[in-house]
Amino acid sequence: MHMATMEDIAKKLGISKGTVSKALSGAADISGATRKLVLETAVELGYERVARQDGNVRMCIFVENMAYEREDSFGWELIMGFRKMAEPAGASVMVEQLTQEVQAEYHYDEYMLLHGYRGGFFLGLSLSDPWTEDFKTCITPAVLYDNRAGDNPVVARVGVDNVEAMELAVTFLKARGHTRIGYLSSALGSFVYQERYDAFFDALEHNGLEHSPALAGAELCVSECVKRHLPRLLEEGCTAVMCSHDLLARALLLYCQGQGISVPGRLGVIGFDDIPLCRHMQPPLTTVRQDRLELGRSAYYALSSQINHVRISALLLHARLVPRESV
Amino acid sequence: MHMATMEDIAKKLGISKGTVSKALSGAADISGATRKLVLETAVELGYERVARQDGNVRMCIFVENMAYEREDSFGWELIMGFRKMAEPAGASVMVEQLTQEVQAEYHYDEYMLLHGYRGGFFLGLSLSDPWTEDFKTCITPAVLYDNRAGDNPVVARVGVDNVEAMELAVTFLKARGHTRIGYLSSALGSFVYQERYDAFFDALEHNGLEHSPALAGAELCVSECVKRHLPRLLEEGCTAVMCSHDLLARALLLYCQGQGISVPGRLGVIGFDDIPLCRHMQPPLTTVRQDRLELGRSAYYALSSQINHVRISALLLHARLVPRESV
């Protein structure tokens, strides 16, 4: 295949190679409209930046809807894990807050080309983000944490193995005598909550337990979810509830405190994620641990593999149950 | 944690350190019973070999039930891909045929310790193998191709993303007007055939198609499977059949030839694997491709990650549909 050059772009647009070069390097004395046109054409022609002379590969971690600045924020270790693998390997890693403005101005491929990024790692992406649509057809590698975007070969996902996680949780509850187990979830619109939901009900089925959809409740707002569905699950005879994530389990524990429902006496509760807060909840929360440092390292591997044309679809880590006092 | 030494083993067994050393190095002048006892004790105490001075990590690819000696055998590229990653990284890779005898004589951990292997990659393992039970609790990393063994953190699997594969196949058939699609499978006892089966019916459901278990048939023997179930699927009104693997699709094509059932006119057929034979079938078989070179490379990554304590559960590659003439 002929690799498109700056000349090709200049020729196609009827402008000088100097203008193309300036536009691609992000120079300030080029109008936004021209830059956009050059980027669009470059992507369309399959233009690729020549690797930098120092061999440095530039990657970017895009963060949205997730705290990452402090050591106890959810994203901190994900980013640390990624950097710890990337930097010794000679890659340079930027971290950017992903905004609606950037996504409205540039398609994903255009933005990456403009900044010389060879691939992106996405934390906390939302399904309503414009780039979610781009991921179905983009040509620049992307790795999504706990998210999936069609079957584009250059897009991979990393996360914990939700199927294994739900098997662990259900087996654990069953071994402690629970045979009717409910499920509370954040809204099922997102990939990860849908996958956990499916995996939970499959695990009930594999374990020979009642697995009717009547045992589940899902709402966007966690306290709303608990208030609306927990009384029903108790009426259904549930003696334990699995939660889609720890913050929902926390809302559940607070509600139970308020209503005088004893945990774990009357109701066993398991969360998911193992956020630092879990050990300070009342009672301390039994949960499924995601090792975020390892997830970050795995994301680097998945992204560098993609950059080297190994078409990883999913890289999943083992889940681990952390027993505390809520079961 | 105190690392167990040869002295610890010798002390526990009341034998000399020299005997322990000989047993662990596989010396010939030690009885089988003594060697076995030393290995058992070494595994129990958590004895680890000190890394070799040349920094070489020894890994072993165990093969069973799979041809690999010729370039067109199924296992050839899996092994090539593994070696291509491993050898530049300074690992040395052995390939061994896995026998029942070896498994009867040694537990997995014992065998690996005896041979100084830090991890194993398994091709074609059977669920009835004694080591399958060992994988639930072993401490030596293992990577299984298209297989799964409980939730042991040191065991990972590599394979193609079966969920994505079945979505591709069903979407492809639906776009060509097929709304009643049957499924023929090898016996569902194995992990990979069960996963493909589940993924196929989930894909029918996601695509709003009839997904009754009546549309499936599964048998150990491929020609038996076709003979017993195809007439029923045709009666059910199926216009296409998805097969769990290419050799079953081949049996299906042969049967249709014999019965004068036109493919793709009367019946569309899709296989799975893309074995070299597919392009020579009558008609050439539309199938889901597994990139075996990349699977081999991914297996090396998963195993070396495990050896470095990164607890990968699954490393899945993108599936790709290869359209030929059977749909």
Side-chain angles (χ1 to χ4, degrees), chain A residues 155 161 168 294 313-314 316 318, chain B residues 151 155 161 311 313-314 316 318:
Chain A
V155 180
D161 187 332
L168 283 173
E294 288 194 4
S313 170
L316 308 180
H318 279 290
Chain B
D151 48 30
V155 179
D161 187 333
R311 296 310 178 209
S313 171
L316 308 180
H318 279 288

Side-chain angles (χ1 to χ4, degrees), chain B residues 283-311:
Chain B
L285 185 68
T286 295
T287 192
V288 175
R289 177 155 174 72
Q290 305 207 53
D291 190 320
R292 287 178 285 276
L293 264 181
E294 289 195 4
L295 282 168
R297 292 199 249 175
S298 302
Y300 169 75
Y301 171 73
L303 192 56
S304 57
S305 293
Q306 280 288 358
I307 290 169
N308 292 305
H309 308 288
V310 173
R311 296 310 178 209

Side-chain angles (χ1 to χ4, degrees), chain A residues 85 148 150-157 161 163-164 168 198 202 206 294 297-298 301-302 305-306 308-319, chain B residues 85 148 150-157 161 163-164 168 198 202 206 294 297-298 301-302 305-306 308-319:
Chain A
M85 285 279 283
R148 172 166 206 151
D151 49 28
N152 186 337
V154 305
V155 180
R157 77 178 163 108
D161 187 332
V163 171
E164 180 179 81
L168 283 173
D198 291 345
D202 287 350
H206 299 159
E294 288 194 4
R297 293 198 249 173
S298 302
Y301 172 73
S305 294
Q306 280 289 359
N308 292 306
H309 309 286
V310 174
R311 297 310 178 208
I312 288 177
S313 170
L315 206 170
L316 308 180
L317 293 183
H318 279 290
Chain B
M85 286 279 282
R148 171 167 206 150
D151 48 30
N152 186 338
V154 306
V155 179
R157 77 178 162 109
D161 187 333
V163 171
E164 181 179 82
L168 283 171
D198 291 344
D202 286 348
H206 299 159
E294 289 195 4
R297 292 199 249 175
S298 302
Y301 171 73
S305 293
Q306 280 288 358
N308 292 305
H309 308 288
V310 173
R311 296 310 178 209
I312 289 177
S313 171
L315 207 169
L316 308 180
L317 293 183
H318 279 288

Side-chain angles (χ1 to χ4, degrees), chain A:
Chain A
M1 203 176 77
H2 166 71
M3 294 278 276
T5 61
M6 287 201 203
E7 279 85 357
D8 296 329
I9 302 168
K11 206 164 165 185
K12 168 134 193 186
L13 290 174
I15 60 181
S16 74
K17 191 189 153 196
T19 307
V20 170
S21 168
K22 279 184 177 181
L24 288 177
S25 64
D29 59 340
I30 290 284
S31 78
T34 305
R35 177 169 16 253
K36 173 79 178 162
L37 194 63
V38 169
L39 285 168
E40 271 173 16
T41 309
V43 168
E44 184 196 328
L45 296 179
Y47 172 80
E48 274 186 44
R49 267 177 207 284
V50 178
R52 294 159 55 107
Q53 289 189 332
D54 56 8
N56 236 349
V57 171
R58 280 164 60 84
M59 301 177 175
C60 186
I61 304 178
F62 294 93
V63 192
E64 195 188 23
N65 309 312
M66 190 188 284
Y68 65 95
E69 292 88 351
R70 288 174 33 183
E71 269 190 62
D72 61 350
S73 7
F74 194 87
W76 174 273
E77 289 186 322
L78 284 162
I79 293 173
M80 282 292 293
F82 191 98
R83 287 205 135 129
K84 278 192 176 167
M85 285 279 283
E87 282 157 8
S92 56
V93 180
M94 313 289 138
V95 179
E96 293 190 11
Q97 194 78 35
L98 181 63
T99 65
Q100 295 294 322
E101 288 68 35
V102 158
Q103 296 179 69
E105 190 168 359
Y106 296 107
H107 283 294
Y108 173 61
D109 285 326
E110 294 165 7
Y111 189 80
M112 299 304 272
L113 190 56
L114 179 62
H115 292 275
Y117 294 141
R118 299 283 301 279
F121 174 38
F122 288 82
L123 300 178
L125 193 76
S126 140
L127 282 181
S128 58
D129 275 318
W131 281 6
T132 300
E133 200 53 37
D134 287 1
F135 290 143
K136 293 182 186 163
T137 54
C138 66
I139 55 173
T140 312
V143 170
L144 315 181
Y145 167 65
D146 260 353
N147 224 322
R148 172 166 206 151
D151 49 28
N152 186 337
V154 305
V155 180
R157 77 178 163 108
V158 296
V160 79
D161 187 332
N162 286 313
V163 171
E164 180 179 81
M166 291 303 177
E167 289 286 344
L168 283 173
V170 168
T171 312
F172 182 82
L173 288 169
K174 190 182 172 191
R176 274 147 197 82
H178 297 280
T179 54
R180 261 183 106 72
I181 309 169
Y183 189 74
L184 291 180
S185 176
S186 186
L188 297 177
S190 87
F191 167 74
V192 65
Y193 291 126
Q194 184 67 53
E195 186 175 78
R196 286 182 190 169
Y197 175 95
D198 291 345
F200 174 75
F201 282 96
D202 287 350
L204 287 183
E205 195 176 349
H206 299 159
N207 280 276
L209 301 179
E210 165 81 29
H211 55 279
S212 142
L215 298 179
E219 302 290 337
L220 194 56
C221 162
V222 292
S223 54
E224 183 64 24
C225 180
V226 173
K227 215 164 67 183
R228 178 170 303 175
H229 298 286
L230 184 64
R232 189 172 54 74
L233 294 184
L234 290 171
E235 268 173 42
E236 290 270 359
C238 292
T239 59
V241 170
M242 175 77 208
C243 298
S244 65
H245 61 304
D246 289 337
L247 291 177
L248 177 52
R250 180 165 169 255
L252 176 53
L253 294 181
L254 289 172
Y255 179 89
C256 286
Q257 261 177 25
Q259 301 284 315
I261 300 166
S262 148
V263 174
R266 167 76 185 84
L267 192 71
V269 179
I270 299 187
F272 203 116
D273 283 343
D274 198 25
I275 58 176
L277 205 57
C278 290
R279 67 193 68 187
H280 307 297
M281 295 185 192
Q282 276 306 327
L285 186 68
T286 295
T287 191
V288 174
R289 177 156 176 73
Q290 306 206 51
D291 190 320
R292 288 179 285 277
L293 266 180
E294 288 194 4
L295 282 166
R297 293 198 249 173
S298 302
Y300 168 75
Y301 172 73
L303 192 55
S304 57
S305 294
Q306 280 289 359
I307 290 170
N308 292 306
H309 309 286
V310 174
R311 297 310 178 208
I312 288 177
S313 170
L315 206 170
L316 308 180
L317 293 183
H318 279 290
R320 189 159 64 79
L321 194 81
V322 182
R324 292 197 183 96
E325 292 161 41
S326 63
V327 175

Side-chain angles (χ1 to χ4, degrees), chain B residues 277-289:
Chain B
L277 204 58
C278 289
R279 68 195 66 186
H280 308 296
M281 295 183 194
Q282 275 308 328
L285 185 68
T286 295
T287 192
V288 175
R289 177 155 174 72

